[in-house]
């Protein structure tokens, strides 16, 4: 990565595309000299937008949904050319020589970090009030923390770069410990929390964005007491709430509506026609890749996790019919997964879509597919600009329930947080209470299932399984459509550094289990 990026100019670092609302209407510069840039606040705003643009790539953008294909939620079609080798990773093919997805998981966060460091090293050249400068710095330090959080979850200890380096030799340093990486993440997030606007999310990071990611980081570290006040402040702020339309939460038009967008705390932004999901040659984006090409396919294992709509499992519910096993389920199922015999209809034109690629599992992804764009063509792909949501209020509520349960077992506030999610308008699933679930262990299982259902196919479960330390138990119980058993061993909790990264940085030490 560093060989390719070390001499990147300000242009390629910061002005490839512009992805932040409020800046999307501005045309990115075609060329720029450091000597004539950094003159005024307009330059700073363009530079900030350029760093945000880095999120549009790979797993920091819409392709993050593909992380679910590393779990028991979904199968990755081996023909997935966007993130090759996903299916190989699930059956034990994780090695330093693996390219594709493994390289992208490592290189993309560092591109964000490089851009962020360049910004932070140069923004002082603009004469602005210190408070205004700190607001911009806070946004960029939040993005840097987000990138390092991805790295530490996937690799453990990694190399920390606090400044932009000008020589290849400066990049050849040892990795820091996992704890040191977390300390650096929290340092950046603390600065962000102190200086970001305490307001609803409107396309740029706000205080709650940083608080939510900081709470999530503490939860990975099992620092429950530290996570609690952060989540409580978000909840008590009154700035956020659950969308009253689950389906529209994942569509472009829905995300523009205040009653829907109030759930979003942070997202990677897109805007047609210049900042759509896939500008590379060939049609792409979530509508095409999931709704038509079936590049990720839900497992029946996931489908059967959704309760019957009376709040009972299929084993307990009188509503379950073995001849019609997928009827009468939690309404979120039908907004997340397309059933085998289901027909999709454009709600605006009535167009009936039937040109699905075959699914090895029998199911297609419904979430993040906009049926108002049917029929799906290269033309509709050029309009695919749903924002990918990194953090939403339902996740905050479920994190809060988990934190409370881990601290002291079932308490009324934990039940209430779960039930708010279940009671969302249009979902309205029966409440969970102490008469149904009474122990810490039972409630822990309920919370984990609720997270799986609510956040299914959003790319969240991979890190959930790892932070719960159950990936090595859950994943080997899965077989892919070819009947090959999934493999997840203890050393797979940390991914290997690729051969190319080890060659580029001789000081980088490989993770255990991959030598």
């Amino acid at each position: 990565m560093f060989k390719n990026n070390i001499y990147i100019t300000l242009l390629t670092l910061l002005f490839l595309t512009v992805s932040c609302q409020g800046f999307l209407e501005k045309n990115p510069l075609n060329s720029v000299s450091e000597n004539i840039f950094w003159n005024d606040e307009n330059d700073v705003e363009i530079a900030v937008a350029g760093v945000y643009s880095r999120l549009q790539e790979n797993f920091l953008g819409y392709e993050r949904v593909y992380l679910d294909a590393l779990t028991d939620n979904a199968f990755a079609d081996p023909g997935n050319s966007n993130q090759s080798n996903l299916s190989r990773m699930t059956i034990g093919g994780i090695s330093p020589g693996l390219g594709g997805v493994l390289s992208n998981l490592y290189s993309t966060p560092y591109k964000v970090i490089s851009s962020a460091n360049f910004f932070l090293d140069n923004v002082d050249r603009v004469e602005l009030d210190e408070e205004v400068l700190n607001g911009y710095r806070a946004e960029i330090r939040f993005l840097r923390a987000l990138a390092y959080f991805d790295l530490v979850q996937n690799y453990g200890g990694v190399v920390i770069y606090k400044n932009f380096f000008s020589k290849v030799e400066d990049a050849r340093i040892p990795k820091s410990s996992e704890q040191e990486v977390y300390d650096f993440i929290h340092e950046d997030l603390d600065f962000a929390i102190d200086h970001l606007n305490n307001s609803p999310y409107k396309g740029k990071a706000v205080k709650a964005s940083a608080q939510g990611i900081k709470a999530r980081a503490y939860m990975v570290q099992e620092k429950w007491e530290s996570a609690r006040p952060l989540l409580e402040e978000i909840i008590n702020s009154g700035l956020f709430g659950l969308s009253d339309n689950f389906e529209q939460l994942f569509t472009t038009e829905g995300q523009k509506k205040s009653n829907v967008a109030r759930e979003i705390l942070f997202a990677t932004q897109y805007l047609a026609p210049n900042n759509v999901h896939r500008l590379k040659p060939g049609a792409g984006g979530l509508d095409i890749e999931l709704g038509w090409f079936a590049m990720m396919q839900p497992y029946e294992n996931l489908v059967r996790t959704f309760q019957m709509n009376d709040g009972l499992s299929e084993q307990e519910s009188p509503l379950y019919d073995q001849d019609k096993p997928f009827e009468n389920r939690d309404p979120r199922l039908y907004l997340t997964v397309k059933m085998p015999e289901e027909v999709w209809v454009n709600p605006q034109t009535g167009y009936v879509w039937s040109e699905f690629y075959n699914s090895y599992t029998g199911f297609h992804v419904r979430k993040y597919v906009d049926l108002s764009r049917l029929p799906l063509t290269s033309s509709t792909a050029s309009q695919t600009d749903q924002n990918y949501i990194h953090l939403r209020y339902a996740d905050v509520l479920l994190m809060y329930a988990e934190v409370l349960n881990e601290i002291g077992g079932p308490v009324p506030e934990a039940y209430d947080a779960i039930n708010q999610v279940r009671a969302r308008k249009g979902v309205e699933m029966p409440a969970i209470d102490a008469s149904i679930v009474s122990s810490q262990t039972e409630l822990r299982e309920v919370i984990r299932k609720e997270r799986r259902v609510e956040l299914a196919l959003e790319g969240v479960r991979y890190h959930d399984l790892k932070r719960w330390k159950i990936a090595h138990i859950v994943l080997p119980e899965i077989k892919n459509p070819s009947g090959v058993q999934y493999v997840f061993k203890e050393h797979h909790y940390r991914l290997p550094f690729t051969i190319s990264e080890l060659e580029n940085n001789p000081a980088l030490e490989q993770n255990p289990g991959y030598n």
Side-chain angles (χ1 to χ4, degrees):
M1 179 197 72
F2 296 114
K3 287 181 179 178
N4 295 330
N5 288 297
I6 188 67
Y7 297 116
I8 291 179
T9 63
L10 187 58
L11 164 66
T12 52
L13 269 171
L14 300 176
F15 307 127
L16 292 175
T17 54
V18 183
S19 63
C20 184
Q21 285 182 347
F23 302 123
L24 284 163
E25 288 72 33
K26 297 181 180 179
N27 294 320
L29 304 179
N30 291 321
S31 62
V32 66
S33 165
E34 283 187 49
N35 295 325
I36 62 173
F37 199 68
W38 305 111
N39 288 321
D40 54 32
E41 188 167 4
N42 182 65
D43 289 349
V44 175
E45 288 184 348
I46 294 174
V48 168
V51 183
Y52 274 101
S53 77
R54 286 298 198 182
L55 298 181
Q56 291 183 346
E57 187 175 350
N58 291 311
F59 294 101
L60 290 174
Y62 82 88
E63 290 176 83
R64 194 172 188 85
V65 300
Y66 288 124
L67 289 179
D68 263 40
L70 295 176
T71 76
D72 50 347
N73 276 359
F75 171 70
D77 189 316
N80 186 330
S81 58
N82 284 15
Q83 298 297 339
S84 60
N85 296 321
L86 272 168
S87 56
R88 285 189 61 187
M89 287 182 67
T90 63
I91 57 175
I94 304 176
S95 70
L98 190 68
V101 57
L102 190 62
S103 298
N104 293 337
L105 284 167
Y106 188 79
S107 64
T108 302
Y110 272 117
K111 291 178 183 178
V112 176
I113 292 162
S114 294
S115 297
N117 286 344
F118 193 96
F119 176 93
L120 293 169
D121 285 355
N122 286 278
V123 71
D124 287 345
R125 298 162 71 176
V126 181
E127 294 184 7
L128 287 175
D129 180 83
E130 189 68 13
E131 183 177 349
V132 173
L133 279 175
N134 279 339
Y136 290 122
R137 292 187 187 109
E139 288 184 70
I140 301 308
R141 291 184 69 169
F142 167 77
L143 297 179
R144 184 169 67 177
L146 191 70
Y148 270 117
F149 187 36
D150 248 29
L151 287 168
V152 75
Q153 288 180 96
N154 286 320
Y155 295 92
V158 293
V159 178
I160 295 177
Y161 298 108
K162 298 184 178 182
N163 300 97
F164 184 80
F165 49 85
S166 58
K167 297 183 294 183
V168 173
E169 290 73 19
D170 294 338
R172 293 170 176 162
I173 59 176
K175 65 182 180 183
S176 297
S177 70
E178 183 171 323
Q179 183 59 54
E180 288 170 332
V181 178
Y182 274 112
D183 289 344
F184 188 53
I185 290 168
H186 288 301
E187 180 182 320
D188 270 353
L189 291 175
D190 285 341
F191 184 90
I193 290 168
D194 287 343
H195 297 285
L196 287 172
N197 290 331
N198 188 25
S199 62
Y201 174 76
K202 300 294 185 182
K204 300 172 66 177
V206 294
K207 182 177 181 179
S209 310
Q211 288 174 316
I213 296 301
K214 185 173 175 65
R216 186 180 281 175
Y218 275 140
M219 291 174 71
V220 177
Q221 297 175 279
E222 298 185 345
K223 295 182 178 181
W224 312 109
E225 289 284 4
S226 297
R228 179 175 180 170
L230 292 162
L231 297 169
E232 287 178 339
E233 187 168 343
I234 295 171
I235 293 168
N236 294 334
S237 73
L239 296 172
F240 303 90
L242 293 169
S243 164
D244 60 10
N245 190 310
F246 189 78
E247 178 182 10
Q248 290 187 359
L249 191 53
F250 307 100
T251 66
T252 299
E253 290 306 310
Q255 291 170 346
K256 296 176 182 177
K257 300 176 181 178
S258 59
N259 61 317
V260 175
R262 65 188 181 191
E263 184 162 338
I264 303 172
L265 277 74
F266 190 73
T268 293
Q269 301 280 309
Y270 297 90
L271 182 65
N274 296 323
N275 287 279
V276 295
H277 286 180
R278 193 164 175 83
L279 288 170
K280 302 173 186 177
L286 289 178
D287 290 333
I288 299 292
E289 294 171 28
L290 302 184
W292 186 4
F293 294 168
M295 289 168 63
M296 183 170 71
Q297 304 158 15
Y299 277 125
E300 186 171 333
N301 180 283
L302 168 63
V303 173
R304 291 186 178 273
T305 301
F306 287 80
Q307 294 176 326
M308 308 305 292
N309 58 25
D310 59 5
L312 300 175
S313 68
E314 64 180 48
Q315 293 82 12
E316 301 168 312
S317 174
L319 298 176
Y320 178 72
D321 183 343
Q322 62 180 359
D323 295 324
K324 301 176 181 179
F326 309 126
E327 292 189 0
N328 301 313
R329 298 267 179 172
D330 182 332
R332 289 172 292 186
L333 171 60
Y334 311 113
L335 301 174
T336 302
V337 179
K338 176 193 170 294
M339 298 297 104
E341 304 302 323
E342 182 182 351
V343 174
W344 278 355
V345 180
N346 186 316
Q348 297 178 3
T349 67
Y351 183 93
V352 178
W353 174 257
S354 59
E355 299 179 34
F356 296 99
Y357 275 55
N358 289 333
S359 167
Y360 296 100
T361 68
F363 301 94
H364 288 75
V365 176
R366 170 70 178 84
K367 185 180 281 186
Y368 270 118
V369 177
D370 189 345
L371 300 190
S372 70
R373 293 198 178 108
L374 298 176
L376 300 175
T377 65
S378 296
S379 177
T380 56
S382 68
Q383 297 299 312
T384 303
D385 60 353
Q386 301 93 312
N387 296 333
Y388 171 77
I389 304 170
H390 288 271
L391 182 65
R392 56 190 180 92
Y393 191 64
D395 192 357
V396 169
L397 290 172
L398 294 177
M399 286 194 290
Y400 186 54
E402 183 176 348
V403 164
L404 293 178
N405 189 54
E406 294 302 327
I407 291 173
V411 293
E413 294 84 356
Y415 292 107
D416 178 65
I418 300 167
N419 289 331
Q420 285 185 55
V421 176
R422 292 171 66 85
R424 180 202 303 270
K425 183 179 178 180
V427 174
E428 295 155 357
M429 286 291 288
I432 301 291
D433 61 35
S435 69
I436 301 171
V437 179
S438 58
S439 72
Q440 182 185 52
T441 300
E442 289 173 333
L443 189 57
R444 179 183 294 126
E445 186 62 23
V446 165
I447 293 167
R448 291 179 178 183
K449 286 184 178 179
E450 194 68 26
R451 285 188 65 80
R452 187 181 186 190
V453 165
E454 172 70 23
L455 304 169
L457 308 179
E458 297 179 38
V460 175
R461 185 161 173 80
Y462 179 60
H463 291 308
D464 272 355
L465 289 174
K466 292 202 299 181
R467 72 181 178 84
W468 293 329
K469 299 180 176 61
I470 60 172
H472 67 290
I473 299 170
V474 170
L475 296 183
E477 295 179 354
I478 301 298
K479 291 184 178 179
N480 70 19
S482 298
V484 180
Q485 188 173 18
Y486 274 28
V487 175
F488 194 100
K489 299 181 179 179
E490 290 284 352
H491 66 278
H492 290 150
Y493 280 95
R494 295 289 176 260
L495 296 175
F497 300 110
T498 64
I499 291 173
S500 61
E501 293 301 333
L502 294 169
E503 290 176 345
N504 288 342
N505 181 8
L508 183 62
E509 182 181 350
Q510 183 60 279
N511 278 330
Y514 297 105
N515 292 320

